[in-house]
Each structure stands twice: as C-alpha cells, then as structure tokens.
Amino acid sequence: MKTCEIFKNKTSLSFEVFPPRSDTPIDSIYSTVDELAHLKPDFISVTYGAGGNGSNATIGICEMIKEKHSIEPVAHLACINLTREKVLFELAQMKAAGIENILALRGDVNPNIPPHDDFKYASELIELIKENGDFNVIGACYPETHPEAASGVEDIKHLKEKVDAGCSQLISQLFFDNEDFYAFREKAAIAGIDVPIEAGIMPVTNPKTIARMATLCHARLPKKFLTIMQKYENDPIAMRDAGIAYAVSQIVDLIANDVDGIHLYTMNNPYIASKICEAVQTLFR
Ligand code: FAD
C-alpha cells in the first residue's frame, strides 16, 4: 500500500526507527519493532546508513515490518554517496522485497567521504525513482529552513521542485516550537505545495540528546522547553517524563491545528513511544 493514501481518511501516525550499529546483530532491532508494532502506527520508516549498515539493514527491517506485522514500511534512501548504478541496484532490491514507499534523501555531506557526482540534490534521486518503478516517494522538509539553504525562500522553492519531481508526501525535520511549523506550512501552501506534510516530533528525554539534536538538526530550543529541561536535567526519571509531556503537548496542539500527520522519531525506544501513544491515541481519526 502506498502511504500517501492514508491521509485521505485520517490524521496519520508514523514511527521512525534506525538499524543497529554495524557491529551489532541486525535482529537486536526486532524486539523493538515488535513492541512498536503493538502501538499500531500507520507506517514505520527505517533510516538509511545512520548505523553504518547501509541499505541491507534498512531493507531487511522493512521486510520484517511488512511480513511479520502487516504494517507498511518506508525505506529511507540517501543518494549523496551513491552512483546512479548503485541506486538502480537498491531500487531493484526494494522492489524484490515488496517495498512500495521510499523516503528519498540527499543525505548529509560527510567531510571524510568525497560525494559522487551522480546526485547533487534529492530532487534528482526522486526523478530517477519515479522513472524506475511504481514507488510512492516521500521527501524531507525543514520548518526552520535547511541549514545549507541560501534562504528560507530558496529552500521552499527547492521543496516545490521535489514535489514537482514526484513526491506525494513530506515528513518534517524535528522542531520544538509549533509556531515554526505553522509558519512553514503556510509558506509551503503559498508556494503551491499541496501534498500532506507530517510533523516530525522528537521526544527529548535526556540532556545529551538535546545538545546533540540542537547541533545536528539546527533546531531552535524555545524558552519554555529550555526551562523544563534545565529544571530536571539532574533527575533522569523526571526528565524523561517531562520530555514525554512536552512531546504530547506539541502533538495535541498540532492535531487541533489540523496537521496531516505526526511522525515520531522513536529513537528505538518503545517505552517512550507507548507513553506518548497512550496519551494521544484517541486523537488520530
Ligand atoms: P535536498 O532536498 O537535496 O536539500 C538539501 C539542500 O540543498 C537544501 O538546503 C536545499 O534548499 C538545497 N537545494 C535543493 N535543490 C537545490 C538546487 N536545485 N539548487 C540549489 N540548492 C538546492 N539522512 C540520512 O543520511 N539517512 C536517513 O535515513 C535520513 N532520514 C531523514 C529523515 C527525515 C524526515 C529528515 C528531515 C532528514 C533525514 N536525513 C537522513 C537527513 C537528510 O539527509 C539531511 O537533512 C540532508 O542534509 C538534506 O537532505 P534532503 O533530502 O532534504 O536534501
């Protein structure tokens, strides 16, 4: 099933997981997926390359999600370090595995790996995927503007190019102030971007993650968020619960403001995902 169909009937709830590190057996993720599957998300996306296992791990986990749990998987695919031939090989593997949905990404430029010349932007990957199979293609978007973009206007312009190239839905980078998301959604609509946009929500439950996320994703930390986190930084249980409560309050407000869907960055932590789902499950209709 193509995940873009979900939005016609309801506000979607999706999860993101990442493959284990390359020195850890792949099946260490399976019990995590089992627990997440009980929460009945509309789809689960699996990151690409983040743990060093490349696409074999991503495709293997996607197959398990589909076969064992009958939940639609979304395979991430990042092109910056791939040749065109390698992408075509990956697409053939995905097709053989019954994967219908791909989150098409450029990937972050790694200073230690010189990028191939075949792909400069995600829009080029999206075009190639659309020419080579009946895949539903999803794109990434950035409520606070992608850090490398020349300006917010340029970033939205390039986002429209991704949609025109064949994206039928978007998933946003994490953010901690819903007003940033609403402002971005309005600008996207003005630019003629009319595909569903899921809001990316990351429950932040320990101070180390906050610092890492703020640096990696360039996410702005609003005063309200910082006050809560500073108050509980030396009390891990209170910190965890405050992080869950903050994510719940973001989700409630987003749904009240007619968001198309919520994409939960689970960090492979079913406990936190289950607490959040418990609090908001009746809102997804
Ligand atoms: P693009 O859409 O190509 O945009 C990158 C930059 O180029 C932007 O600044 C854009 O404005 C600019 N740009 C685009 N087109 C043009 C043009 N024609 N001319 C000039 N500038 C242009 N990374 C991974 O490695 N693996 C993952 O699994 C992964 N999952 C992710 C999931 C989500 C939901 C998100 C939001 C990000 C994810 N990332 C992942 C990170 C992503 O790869 C990085 O954010 C990357 O820096 C940008 O990828 P993109 O696909 O958005 O790139």
Side-chain angles (χ1 to χ4, degrees):
M1 179 202 159
K2 296 191 166 53
T3 54
C4 58
E5 296 298 318
I6 295 162
F7 304 93
K8 292 178 184 162
N9 305 314
K10 68 185 287 279
T11 308
S12 71
L13 170 66
S14 57
F15 293 162
E16 181 169 308
V17 297
F18 52 83
R21 290 162 52 98
S22 50
D23 54 4
T24 310
I26 183 76
D27 49 8
S28 63
I29 182 80
Y30 291 171
S31 58
T32 303
V33 171
D34 288 345
E35 288 182 64
L36 290 172
H38 284 306
L39 305 173
K40 302 196 183 322
D42 292 301
F43 65 88
I44 301 180
S45 81
V46 185
T47 65
Y48 177 87
N53 265 349
S55 69
N56 284 345
T58 302
I59 293 174
I61 298 165
C62 283
E63 274 184 299
M64 179 265 183
I65 291 168
K66 189 158 182 150
E67 280 164 22
K68 185 168 178 196
H69 297 292
S70 302
I71 293 174
E72 210 47 53
V74 170
H76 297 208
L77 181 61
C79 61
I80 186 87
N81 295 313
L82 300 182
T83 59
R84 190 184 150 85
E85 284 65 37
K86 177 72 175 155
V87 167
L88 292 174
F89 174 78
E90 300 283 19
L91 295 180
Q93 300 277 97
M94 289 181 189
K95 218 177 285 179
I99 294 168
E100 291 181 62
N101 303 283
I102 302 176
L103 175 49
L105 299 144
R106 185 198 66 178
D108 281 323
V109 180
N110 181 338
N112 301 318
I113 308 175
H116 280 288
D117 293 333
D118 290 11
F119 300 95
K120 203 161 176 210
Y121 301 113
S123 53
E124 295 155 2
L125 174 65
I126 293 162
E127 276 170 20
L128 187 65
I129 297 173
K130 291 308 282 185
E131 287 163 9
N132 285 278
D134 184 25
F135 292 105
N136 174 52
V137 183
I138 306 166
C141 62
Y142 301 84
E144 297 178 71
T145 303
H146 186 267
E148 291 165 38
S151 68
V153 172
E154 283 295 305
D155 206 29
I156 295 270
K157 206 176 97 190
H158 298 312
L159 184 61
K160 175 77 165 71
E161 287 162 8
K162 288 205 281 197
V163 173
D164 291 345
C167 271
S168 50
Q169 67 189 90
L170 298 168
I171 301 180
S172 92
Q173 182 60 284
L174 61 92
F175 58 89
F176 297 108
D177 187 337
N178 288 0
E179 294 308 319
D180 290 329
F181 181 81
Y182 300 139
F184 159 76
R185 188 173 62 169
E186 197 170 312
K187 285 181 230 155
I190 291 167
I193 294 168
D194 57 0
V195 297
I197 306 176
E198 278 196 305
I201 296 295
M202 160 90 70
V204 178
T205 53
N206 74 64
K208 267 195 215 144
T209 320
I210 300 169
R212 206 159 58 88
M213 283 307 133
T215 317
L216 266 179
C217 305
H218 300 258
R220 192 169 61 79
L221 303 177
K223 189 165 175 292
K224 180 181 160 195
F225 178 87
L226 281 172
T227 308
I228 297 170
M229 298 301 142
Q230 277 157 8
K231 170 108 178 153
Y232 301 114
E233 65 185 341
N234 296 318
D235 182 342
I237 301 293
M239 178 77 182
R240 180 197 68 194
D241 292 346
I244 291 170
Y246 194 90
V248 166
S249 73
Q250 274 195 283
I251 294 170
V252 171
D253 180 67
L254 284 159
I255 296 178
N257 282 282
D258 298 323
V259 73
D260 294 310
I262 300 292
H263 186 70
L264 196 63
Y265 293 100
T266 70
M267 303 301 285
N268 292 1
N269 187 326
Y271 174 83
I272 290 169
S274 71
K275 287 290 160 195
I276 291 173
C277 289
E278 220 170 80
V280 296
Q281 62 190 354
T282 58
L283 310 185
F284 288 90
R285 38 178 132 143

